[in-house]
Amino acid sequence: MKRVLTIQDISCIGKCSITIALPVLSTMGVECAILPTTLLSCHTAFPTFTSYDLTDHMMAIVDTWKQQDIHFDAIYTGYLGSFKEIELVKQIIHLFQEDDPLIFIDPVMGDHGELYAGFNEEYVKENTTLCSLADIIVPNVTEAAYMTNMPYKSEYDVDYIRSMLDRVIEMGAKHAVITGVSLYPGKTGVYGFDGNSYFSYQNKHYDAIFYGTGDLFASTSVGALVQGYSMEEAFQLASDHTAHTIDVTMQDPNRAWYGVDFESTLCDLGNMK
């Protein structure tokens, strides 16, 4: 069985980050090892929450894995909230480089043309250096614009996206896929480069925001990739499954406000393997 290490925060309540990665990867027949960076009572969109920084414990956990000769087929990162977390991830990638794991980095930094609270240009630069170590990175249009110093546009054509993608790849990552790309009215999807050619895929755009959809997309992509899907196949599967889950969530009048109903579609994902 393939084994993926995911490094990101964990919310006790919240349908995001590790709370999504663990069940999604397990459903896809992949063992999911977790290395939490922060423990939150609930994610940061809740009115109040507690947060416990776990960075001082991360390397001790990793050291025990090395002592027991544990290996990983992929290392997958999500939200990293500090410079220290980024540096620790770099060290971990170096420690397991002899396994030649797939390095999949989701450089979570911002959306809709703005960086998330607490992030600045220095953080962007540091996160970009981490991305240079990756096999695949999946920035959205906002994150790619900040990484490449290109002007952010909410309306654009394929030339803009392709130029952005080329610049992202020039920064060191072997492959890149830009997410949240809307090339046609009422559509959204991905635009990527697999090392040989460009590819794109579009789904219906839903006029709604649900927390955790990015984590669902990334986790499904990683699961498909380690199970042998090509890049184009993996990201098409992830796009379809994310769109399907949003659709199911919107149909539920009793849905939670704080996250996408990914639990409702896990069986569908299992059948898509």
Side-chain angles (χ1 to χ4, degrees):
M1 182 179 290
K2 301 290 187 179
R3 179 187 291 132
V4 171
L5 168 61
T6 186
I7 308 172
Q8 49 188 314
D9 60 280
I10 183 167
S11 294
C12 298
I13 297 290
K15 302 192 181 196
C16 63
S17 304
I18 287 177
T19 309
I20 283 184
L22 181 54
V24 166
L25 288 166
S26 298
T27 297
M28 300 183 77
V30 177
E31 180 182 351
C32 181
I34 66 172
L35 185 58
T37 58
T38 306
L39 173 64
L40 299 108
S41 57
C42 42
H43 64 59
T44 57
F46 280 76
T48 60
F49 57 89
T50 59
S51 176
Y52 300 95
D53 186 354
L54 302 178
T55 51
D56 288 340
H57 306 282
M58 289 171 60
M59 292 310 295
I61 294 171
V62 171
D63 287 343
T64 65
W65 291 341
K66 293 296 291 183
Q67 292 167 19
Q68 298 174 71
D69 199 30
I70 291 174
H71 303 274
F72 300 105
D73 296 286
I75 296 175
Y76 152 41
T77 72
Y79 179 89
L80 300 174
S82 68
F83 291 89
K84 184 176 182 179
E85 289 174 16
I86 293 173
E87 183 56 36
L88 287 171
V89 171
K90 291 179 183 177
Q91 294 178 34
I92 292 165
I93 290 172
H94 176 74
L95 285 172
F96 289 99
Q97 64 183 356
E98 63 185 31
D99 296 343
D100 193 27
L102 172 76
I103 307 300
F104 184 104
I105 295 176
D106 184 1
V108 182
M109 295 184 286
D111 207 354
H112 305 295
E114 300 290 338
L115 293 175
Y116 293 137
F119 291 160
N120 55 27
E121 295 286 354
E122 288 303 311
Y123 179 88
V124 173
K125 291 178 182 177
E126 190 66 19
N127 210 351
T128 300
T129 65
L130 173 61
C131 289
S132 69
L133 305 178
D135 293 297
I136 302 175
I137 61 172
V138 289
N140 61 29
V141 177
T142 296
E143 291 154 354
Y146 272 95
M147 291 171 66
T148 59
N149 291 315
M150 289 181 65
Y152 170 78
K153 296 181 180 181
S154 57
E155 296 182 5
Y156 42 75
D157 57 19
V158 69
D159 290 337
Y160 171 81
I161 295 298
R162 185 171 291 192
S163 176
M164 178 177 283
L165 182 62
D166 291 344
R167 295 191 192 186
V168 167
I169 292 173
E170 287 173 1
M171 303 176 83
K174 295 178 182 176
H175 310 96
V177 174
I178 298 178
T179 64
V181 174
S182 298
L183 295 176
Y184 310 102
K187 298 288 186 178
T188 189
V190 299
Y191 200 98
F193 182 73
D194 63 9
N196 296 305
S197 59
Y198 298 99
F199 64 90
S200 65
Y201 189 72
Q202 298 278 286
N203 282 101
K204 176 182 176 181
H205 172 74
Y206 291 89
D207 190 20
I209 296 175
F210 295 108
Y211 299 104
T213 53
D215 299 316
L216 177 62
F217 173 84
S219 299
T220 307
S221 300
V222 172
L225 288 164
V226 299
Q227 290 289 38
Y229 285 63
S230 69
M231 275 188 62
E232 187 169 1
E233 291 169 340
F235 286 104
Q236 179 174 329
L237 170 62
S239 297
D240 285 342
H241 182 65
T242 303
H244 171 56
T245 304
I246 292 172
D247 186 62
V248 168
T249 302
M250 293 184 70
Q251 293 178 41
D252 180 6
N254 298 313
R255 62 182 178 268
W257 66 266
Y258 54 81
V260 67
D261 287 350
F262 75 94
E263 301 93 338
S264 299
T265 59
L266 282 176
C267 289
D268 299 328
L269 180 60
N271 293 331
M272 293 170 72
K273 288 193 300 169

